[in-house]
């Protein structure tokens, strides 16, 4: 009998609530947040940023506690097989330097990993957000700046500090 491993999607608002408050005035439409996601499985949080694929303890990014945790399902894929898969992605599609906040980001990575582990995609409100923002005049104007944004694991200066035990 194969072991089953819980798979969760951790969802963070990069704006810490500012998108919800300011989007109607700035974009002419309400958006709830600018989402960063990570997949939590095997006791680790995996995510994609400007350095490529990284992992940390759950809630170990500079963002702290997630805004939402979505249960994606269970997987029977052994951790060793998953690590081989991740290493393949790290050397190809999700290599360091290939990150683009609007077109090739953490949410694309989380979506692909969720499909590999559980057989289904992450929620549309996350994956369709870049197109929704870019459909506005301000989104078009901010696109060059937004493309350079990224998330990393906590730096070594913070590694010894306790973080939110989420």
């Amino acid at each position: 009998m194969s072991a089953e491993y819980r798979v969760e999607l951790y969802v963070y608002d990069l704006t810490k609530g500012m998108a919800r408050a300011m989007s109607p005035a700035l974009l002419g439409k309400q958006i709830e947040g600018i989402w960063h996601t990570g997949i939590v499985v095997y006791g680790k949080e995996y995510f994609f940023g400007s350095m490529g694929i990284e992992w940390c303890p759950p809630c170990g990014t500079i963002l702290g506690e997630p805004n939402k945790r979505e249960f994606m399902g269970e997987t029977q894929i052994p951790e060793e097989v998953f690590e081989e898969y991740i290493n393949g992605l790290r050397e190809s599609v999700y290599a360091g330097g290939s990150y683009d906040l609007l077109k090739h980001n953490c949410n694309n990575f989380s979506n692909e990993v969720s499909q590999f582990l559980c057989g289904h995609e992450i929620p549309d409100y996350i994956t369709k957000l870049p197109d929704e923002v870019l459909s506005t005049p301000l989104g078009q104007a901010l696109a060059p700046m937004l493309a350079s944004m990224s998330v990393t694991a906590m730096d070594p200066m913070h590694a010894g500090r306790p973080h939110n035990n989420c």
Side-chain angles (χ1 to χ4, degrees), residues 106-164:
C106 57
N107 303 321
N108 303 116
F109 170 77
S110 293
N111 194 44
E112 190 164 328
V113 172
S114 177
Q115 289 179 64
F116 176 78
L117 290 171
C118 303
H120 56 84
E121 297 182 347
I122 68 173
D124 283 351
Y125 77 89
I126 296 168
T127 56
K128 293 185 177 178
L129 182 63
D131 291 336
E132 192 174 337
V133 171
L134 288 174
S135 72
T136 69
L138 184 62
Q140 286 290 317
L142 293 176
M145 180 194 71
L146 293 173
S148 67
M149 295 177 71
S150 183
V151 172
T152 61
M154 281 196 214
D155 63 33
M157 298 284 296
H158 296 95
R161 296 183 191 166
H163 57 77
N164 299 336

Side-chain angles (χ1 to χ4, degrees), residues 10-16 33-38 40 45 57-61 63-68 166:
Y10 279 20
V11 182
Y12 303 86
D13 177 10
L14 292 173
T15 70
K16 301 289 186 187
I34 303 294
W35 308 118
H36 165 78
T37 58
V40 176
E45 182 172 350
C59 304
T61 69
L63 300 173
E65 182 84 22
N67 293 71
K68 300 177 187 177
C166 61

Side-chain angles (χ1 to χ4, degrees), residues 53-132:
I53 298 172
E54 298 183 70
W55 69 267
C56 60
C59 304
T61 69
I62 60 173
L63 300 173
E65 182 84 22
N67 293 71
K68 300 177 187 177
R69 298 173 204 203
E70 305 228 5
F71 176 69
M72 300 307 295
E74 306 250 337
T75 187
Q76 294 183 353
I77 295 171
E79 186 174 1
E80 301 77 33
V81 172
F82 178 71
E83 287 295 335
E84 288 177 26
Y85 167 74
I86 288 294
N87 286 335
L89 291 178
R90 185 178 282 127
E91 294 172 7
S92 60
V93 181
Y94 294 98
S98 67
Y99 183 90
D100 180 306
L101 182 70
L102 300 171
K103 298 177 185 148
H104 189 67
N105 59 42
C106 57
N107 303 321
N108 303 116
F109 170 77
S110 293
N111 194 44
E112 190 164 328
V113 172
S114 177
Q115 289 179 64
F116 176 78
L117 290 171
C118 303
H120 56 84
E121 297 182 347
I122 68 173
D124 283 351
Y125 77 89
I126 296 168
T127 56
K128 293 185 177 178
L129 182 63
D131 291 336
E132 192 174 337

